[in-house]
Amino acid sequence: LLEKMADVSLKEAALILGVVAACYWNSLFCGFVFDDVSAILDNKDLHPSTPLKNLFQNDFWGTPMSEERSHKSYRPLTVLTFRLNYLFSELNAVSYHFLNLVFHVVVCIVFLKVCKLFLDSRSSIVASLLFAVHPIHTEAVTGVVGRAELLSSIFFLAAFLSYTKSKGPDNTIVWTPIAVTVFLVAVATLCKEQGITVVGICCVYEVFIAQGYTLPVLLDTAVQILRGKGNIPFSVLQTLLKLIVLMFSTLLLVVVRVQVIQSQLPVFTRFDNPAAVSPSPARQLTFNYLLPVNAWLLLNPSELCCDWTMGTIPLVESLLDVRNVATLTFFCFLGSLIVFSLRYPGDSSKTVLMALCLIVLPFIPASNLFFPVGFVVAERVLYVPSMGFCILVAHGWKKLSNKSVLRKISCVCLAVVLFTHALKTLHRNWDWESEYTLFMSALKVNKNNAKLWNNVGHALENEKNFERALQFFIQATQVQPDDIGAHMNVGRTYKNLNKTKEAEESYMIAKSLMPQIIPGKKYAARVAPNHLNVYINLANLIRANESRLEEADQLYRQAISMRPDFKQAYISRGELLLKMNKPLKAKEAYLRALELDRTNADLWYNLAIVYIELKDSTEALKNFNRALELNPAHKLALFNSALLMQESGDARLRPEAKQRLLNYVKEEPQDANGYFNLGMLAMDDKKDMEAEAWMKKAIRLQPNFRSALFNLALLYSQTAKELMALPILEDLLRYYPDHTKGLILKGDILMNQKKDISGAKMCFEKILALDPNNVQGKHNLCVVYFEERDLKKAEKCLVETLALAPHEEYIQRHLNIVRSKIASLGAAEQSSLPADRIAAAEEKKKSFENLKEVKNEKKTTQTTVKGQLKNKKQTEKNNMDKETPKKSTKEIKDIEKKRVAALKRLEEIERILNGE
């Protein structure tokens, strides 16, 4: 009979689907907000590259369960559904919200099936519709992380429905439904911890519903057995057997759960849950007062808030506090319902009993009564308890509507409640559209929660609206003066506004609020681990001043002394030590950090940078490769390892270097550096057309890209496209008028290709105006004088050039040639051909010099990075045109070949000039 009543028709399912869709359609337009950021956007467990086993080793937020900062919330199956979302749509929020909506529909339909076990069909529909539209559920349905409640509820209800089938004919035991129940309980618990509480509901159902006992009958039977006046009835033995199986399986689940969290409760601070660290009786009075607060949210969900931590609900510190009246009233009402449901037989009492079980038992883990949790009130944890509330309301409505006098009024009131709740839910969904709208709506309800002011500030900070963000952060410090995080936020915002002095003052205030070290007492137990970042932030701020590097190092060491496992302190200290030119100590810091976390790709990357500083390119490449094994999309490791391979001169490494650069530009399609270095690789491989295409793409992305402009012009000059190089050089010199090598190349092309002697002369004269000791520029100007047939001026110029570079034999030979011609030949007859020949020779020589430019430009692009990862690209750009004196073996050989060829050509010209 129960199974028949529990059937849900297609029309009923369609009605629920339509109502839920009408209430939650606008949730599809919401983004990732609040806890979604940590659980979705920052959670690497969602990425396909992360091994599936990590889901069962990490908590809900992607933090290893073994770490102290873990919240110990073990929900791998929920994270698995997030991962499936990511697989199909990556970080498209619509798909995540849509799946939540679907799960809510499923919960409502299964809940309707449960209601039909204890209510008539019409009342069951009322309970299910009220559950579907109740505004308290917006956090669980519209907030993506609320999926843990939705999934757990599905298996929670399914486990209970399965257990209701465990009673066979003649009160026999059917074991298959019990086995299915145990399995579903385990699955529900892997979605969210409260899933295990369904076992308690099954036990109550077995004793008081399936076996039909009331509390007086149960007590009387127990007394009779204890007095030895009767045998234990067979039905009681069967009931005990079923209960023992249920309790044993529950105990097994609890043991496994305790093993997973490694017997450690999560660390929460007084900011998360002030009552948890309060003395008696404030702690007990406050926790008990929170029960009527939660009940009121179910009765009147008009003022909803996403965050009830910190000062939202002031502590109840005295028995004389008027709020104790609410607590007393609540317990009186709850007690009367419990007495009614347990004492009297009948369907009504059974319905009330099951409703109370659904309200009370799933709420126990979040009640703070047995162990502290990381919040004061959380609307999403009322998702399952609201089922019992809806059953009570529907049952009460049924009682009223059965009376003819109240039938119409009760129907009108019910319609008003459903309609207003649906409107409130629809309106509340818009609050979850963005973090700014969410936290601003929360501030309308509660202005005494510093965390809300901080979160509005964070939302504005993400929009780069630092001035307004600062106002909210300062307000947070006024609401909660001892909030370390709020002062840290103020300091960070001042830093973003380039107000260094104010930033340092705010960080110092935050630092002064940190608990002092007490010998023998664990520091982390008294402060949130992220508050230790005040030392990191302060050190990062003051290390911008070269004279305060030692002071910054002292702050890092202080943080490490407080938490020897504080990984970020080692990382930041390693970056500082690199800046202080202490690579060996930096190496020690990174190796210590790697002992704490060998799966951190950034650490392996930083260690590679240290080995570059130590001139150990082999070890550097090994560490780059290790970083890429852990994170194949690590952009900085892709880029710098490719440059290291390119710089090595080993042709065998070029294909891999090219592939890594291609992967880099796939990750960073707007970074011109990637395309430029692909162009340089193509030049090394003599793939001129490919090199030209990459260079052009780099210039399109960054029109003032100095190295790309020069090397593209050089590529054209080396491939007999000198005239195409001229407009590129014009662009280069428009952005960088003092680019000496660009001026040399332009002068070379003007003189040898365009025969524009005056234009070339202007280029070389500008070089000398910038650098009077530039040998190449001065020698080329001497060639111009020779071309102009001014042999006396050419002679004087060559003498001055020789003084600048006395060891350059070709300058001495050119001077001898000019002097010889002055002595033996007339200027008008002897200047034309030799000048051309000298120019031709100089073109060869300049090609050699320009080759050096190519290598220098390329090598300087490969300047590796010191310091923080996020500063790498800027450092690359800043160092793009710095020359590095060190040359590879291949480069030296190329230079020598060019030098020999140039000198050979000079000897040929000398023979012609001497009339041989």
Side-chain angles (χ1 to χ4, degrees), residues 660-679:
R660 292 189 182 187
L661 285 173
L662 287 171
N663 291 340
Y664 174 77
V665 297
K666 184 178 178 182
E667 295 290 328
E668 286 285 345
Q670 298 303 312
D671 185 9
N673 288 292
Y675 301 106
F676 167 73
N677 284 286
L678 280 166

Side-chain angles (χ1 to χ4, degrees), residues 678-890:
L678 280 166
M680 298 306 295
L681 267 178
M683 287 179 71
D684 286 344
D685 288 333
K686 310 301 181 186
K687 297 177 180 178
D688 298 331
M689 292 181 65
E690 183 181 332
E692 179 184 354
W694 289 124
M695 293 292 184
K696 284 182 175 179
K697 190 156 189 177
I699 293 167
R700 277 198 300 274
L701 288 171
Q702 187 180 330
N704 64 340
F705 196 154
R706 176 172 172 157
S707 296
L709 288 166
F710 177 79
N711 282 286
L712 179 58
L714 190 63
L715 177 65
Y716 284 143
S717 71
Q718 290 176 338
T719 53
K721 298 177 183 177
E722 289 88 347
L723 297 183
M724 292 177 68
L726 276 179
I728 306 298
L729 289 168
E730 293 291 348
D731 289 340
L732 173 67
L733 295 170
R734 185 172 71 254
Y735 291 116
Y736 308 101
D738 301 340
H739 195 288
T740 303
K741 295 172 184 178
L743 288 166
I744 288 175
L745 183 56
K746 181 182 176 182
D748 176 47
I749 294 172
L750 288 175
M751 184 166 63
N752 292 292
Q753 302 299 322
K754 298 278 285 183
K755 305 303 179 183
D756 182 357
I757 304 302
S758 62
K761 185 176 182 180
M762 289 174 63
C763 291
F764 300 139
E765 285 177 342
K766 185 169 183 179
I767 292 169
L768 294 177
L770 296 169
D771 180 11
N773 296 323
N774 188 293
V775 175
Q776 191 174 354
K778 193 164 186 67
H779 177 269
N780 288 1
L781 184 60
C782 300
V783 175
V784 170
Y785 293 149
F786 196 96
E787 190 73 21
E788 291 177 337
R789 297 176 174 81
D790 191 342
L791 296 182
K792 289 290 185 181
K793 204 167 185 178
E795 179 189 18
K796 181 182 177 183
C797 178
L798 285 168
V799 169
E800 293 171 355
T801 307
L802 187 62
L804 293 173
H807 302 296
E808 292 289 352
E809 296 179 6
Y810 74 93
I811 299 175
Q812 181 65 60
R813 283 199 297 274
H814 286 180
L815 179 60
N816 293 339
I817 291 170
V818 171
R819 284 174 173 172
S820 174
K821 295 310 154 192
I822 291 173
S824 63
L825 302 172
E829 294 177 351
Q830 303 298 326
S831 61
S832 180
L833 177 62
D836 288 342
R837 296 300 178 91
I838 289 178
E842 291 312 315
E843 184 179 353
K844 295 289 184 179
K845 179 64 181 176
K846 288 193 284 288
S847 295
F848 149 63
E849 295 293 345
N850 287 334
L851 175 70
K852 292 165 69 176
E853 167 78 5
V854 177
K855 296 297 180 181
N856 285 331
E857 289 277 347
K858 180 175 70 173
K859 190 168 179 81
T860 52
T861 306
Q862 298 168 1
T863 302
T864 48
V865 184
K866 299 181 183 180
Q868 297 183 9
L869 301 178
K870 63 183 179 182
N871 293 330
K872 174 255 161 193
K873 287 186 185 175
Q874 190 59 45
T875 309
E876 290 280 349
K877 293 173 184 175
N878 291 343
N879 290 313
M880 193 64 71
D881 291 294
K882 293 181 183 176
E883 297 203 13
T884 48
K886 186 177 177 181
K887 297 281 184 186
S888 68
T889 304
K890 179 178 180 297

Side-chain angles (χ1 to χ4, degrees), residues 440-540:
M440 285 300 290
S441 71
L443 281 176
K444 293 175 185 176
V445 176
N446 171 36
K447 290 182 171 58
N448 295 321
N449 185 341
K451 191 174 178 181
L452 293 175
W453 293 98
N454 280 319
N455 285 337
V456 175
H458 287 309
L460 291 167
E461 188 179 33
N462 292 336
E463 297 172 0
K464 307 298 181 185
N465 192 346
F466 298 121
E467 292 286 355
R468 281 200 66 203
L470 181 61
Q471 296 172 13
F472 283 89
F473 289 141
I474 290 174
Q475 182 63 33
T477 64
Q478 293 171 356
V479 170
Q480 188 90 33
D482 59 349
D483 182 5
I484 297 171
H487 290 287
M488 289 169 64
N489 292 336
V490 172
R492 186 182 62 255
T493 310
Y494 274 130
K495 182 182 178 184
N496 290 330
L497 291 170
N498 295 318
K499 296 182 179 180
T500 307
K501 181 181 178 182
E502 292 86 347
E504 184 173 348
E505 288 173 357
S506 297
Y507 284 140
M508 291 301 292
I509 293 172
K511 181 172 174 283
S512 69
L513 293 171
M514 296 288 285
Q516 299 301 308
I517 298 175
I518 301 174
K521 187 169 183 181
K522 200 171 185 181
Y523 185 84
R526 297 174 294 117
V527 69
N530 64 314
H531 283 172
L532 281 170
N533 284 324
V534 67
Y535 294 96
I536 306 300
N537 294 348
L538 181 57
N540 290 345

Side-chain angles (χ1 to χ4, degrees), residues 532-533 535-536 540 543 553 555-578 585-597 600 602-603 606-607 610 867:
L532 281 170
N533 284 324
Y535 294 96
I536 306 300
N540 290 345
R543 78 182 196 184
D553 189 34
L555 286 167
Y556 291 136
R557 283 184 277 132
Q558 188 174 352
I560 291 169
S561 69
M562 291 179 171
R563 283 282 299 262
D565 62 344
F566 191 15
K567 179 178 64 181
Q568 187 56 46
Y570 292 106
I571 295 172
S572 298
R573 184 167 186 249
E575 293 166 357
L576 177 67
L577 290 168
L578 271 179
K585 287 190 175 182
K587 177 183 171 184
E588 290 177 11
Y590 287 134
L591 289 174
R592 180 70 182 94
L594 281 169
E595 289 176 12
L596 300 171
D597 182 7
N600 189 320
D602 290 340
L603 279 174
N606 281 11
L607 189 58
V610 172

Side-chain angles (χ1 to χ4, degrees), residues 47 54 145 157 244 254 441 448 458 474 528 597 655 905:
H47 302 170
N54 284 24
V145 295
L157 295 174
I244 288 170
V254 170
S441 71
N448 295 321
H458 287 309
I474 290 174
D597 182 7
R905 181 63 176 154

Side-chain angles (χ1 to χ4, degrees), residues 122-173:
R122 191 174 62 159
S123 301
S124 297
I125 290 289
V126 168
S128 185
L129 288 177
L130 181 58
F131 180 80
V133 303
H134 203 296
I136 202 72
H137 300 154
T138 50
E139 182 170 345
V141 181
T142 309
V144 177
V145 295
R147 186 178 299 177
E149 266 73 26
L150 305 177
L151 283 173
S152 180
S153 298
I154 292 172
F155 296 107
F156 178 102
L157 295 174
F160 176 69
L161 286 172
S162 176
Y163 187 80
T164 60
K165 300 173 183 177
S166 64
K167 181 180 177 182
D170 300 322
N171 208 23
T172 56
I173 300 176

